[in-house]
Structures are given as C-alpha cells and as structure tokens.
Amino acid sequence: MTEAAPAPVDTPLPPDGPVTMAVHTMPSPLAPVDPPKRSRWTLWLVLAVCAAPVIASYFSFYVLDLRGRAYSDLISPTRDLPPTLTLSTLQGAPVAAEALKGQWLLTYIPDRACDTGCERMLFMQRQLREMLGKDRDRLDKLVLVPDDVQLTPAQVDALTGHSAPATVLRAQRGAIESWLMASPGHRLGEHLFLVDPMGRWMLRSPATPEPAQLKKDLERLMRANAGWDKPGR
C-alpha cells in the first residue's frame, strides 16, 4: 500500500485552540459627524457668489474712485430704503417698500405743482431710460409724489399711458425727505435720484442735469453691478 505523500511545507496550519470571531464596535448613529470638506467649500462658494454684487459696488466706489470722475453726486455712505416708508398707488392701494427692490430706480419727486420745469424733468427721466439702449430694461422709472401734491389727469396719463410706464406712488413728504435729499440751495424737484436694486440711494443728479453727462454716470454704476438686478417690473 502506497503511503500518502507528505503535505507541502508551506501549507498553512489551523490555529491552535477553538476558532474565534472578533466583533468591532459600530459607530453610533447619534454620534456627531464632521461635515465633509467638500460641503464646506460649496457653502463658501455660494456665499462668495451672493456677495459678488456688493463687492463690485464697493469696488466701483472706493477702488475705481468714481467720485473723481462722476458728473453727479455719489452718495457715500449710501442711504437704505426705509422699510417703514408708507407708499400707496394713486388710487390709495398700499404698496410695501420692499416691492421697490430688485431693479435700478431712476427716481423723480415732483415736490410742488407739476409745472413746465417738472414736466421737463419727467421727459428727461423717460429719455434717459431709452438712451441706455439694450440696458433700458434694467432701469425702472419711479415717481414719488408727496401727499400734498396733485398731478393733473394729463400728467398721470403721460406717466402711465405708454409702453414703458413709470411706477407712480404717493408717500408723505417728510418720509421722502428723510431718505432722499436735495443739494444745498435746491429743491427735490430739480434732481433725479438713482437707487440701486438693493434699495440704496447711490446718486443724485445736479440741478437741471445735462442728459448726456448723466447717462455716463448711470452706465458706469450699472455696468459695475451687471447681473445684480432682474428684468423690469
């Protein structure tokens, strides 16, 4: 009878003693888990994108120093739209101040009975928007009428009866003057005011402005904050 060949030397031998199984502790589902680094970077990226328009605005003001080249008065620091500003339509329906945000606002205030000078400023407001060409839809015309001023039906029709109507709202005179101010020695009705899409008053035209010069100021500010606003209301 042939004897079995011996097992190869490198054949593993079973361990001594009974076979055992090791059980490792599983992580508790309630234990705090640090957020992944990728999530943190995503959060910072989102914050950076949201802050970019604000950074661009301040870059335009303080780094490019538009104050030295502007035809108009740049307001520094800017003045925020008062959230408590009480507004209403000409028919008396209330309008929230926050509703004005999201668009550049070229604002005019007929601070007394709208005479020939007032009508000329309203015409200039309309023409300035058209002069912006492809950017005109980024600019909304706002007329803030003090509560002690009346517009004639013909004037209201001129503001609201064409393809790009102005937003015409009433407000108390004191509330308007606590936000927008005329230059020394002049009236509110002699200026046009530019409010940015965040509701901040940024620019005041000279009294009885020259349209071509004022247009350059509007273009500089709006170019610096491209993408900040949304299509016209």
Side-chain angles (χ1 to χ4, degrees), residues 132-211:
L132 292 175
K134 64 180 182 180
D135 287 330
R136 62 179 175 270
D137 288 337
R138 298 174 57 199
L139 187 74
D140 195 11
K141 305 186 300 295
L142 174 65
V143 179
L144 287 179
V145 184
D147 53 0
D148 57 352
V149 172
Q150 296 297 323
L151 299 178
T152 67
Q155 290 166 342
V156 173
D157 183 68
L159 289 169
T160 60
H162 48 83
S163 59
T167 301
V168 185
L169 299 173
R170 284 199 176 276
Q172 293 183 347
R173 178 181 293 271
I176 296 174
E177 293 176 345
S178 68
W179 178 36
L180 306 175
M181 299 176 61
S183 60
H186 294 281
R187 299 182 296 102
L188 286 172
E190 297 179 89
H191 302 283
L192 288 171
F193 303 88
L194 184 68
V195 178
D196 75 9
M198 304 294 287
R200 298 177 301 192
W201 172 31
M202 298 188 77
L203 179 143
R204 176 181 58 211
S205 78
T208 316
E210 202 283 314

Side-chain angles (χ1 to χ4, degrees), residues 91-105:
Q91 293 74 35
V95 176
E98 289 291 314
L100 296 180
K101 293 185 178 181
Q103 181 86 0
W104 289 96
L105 299 174

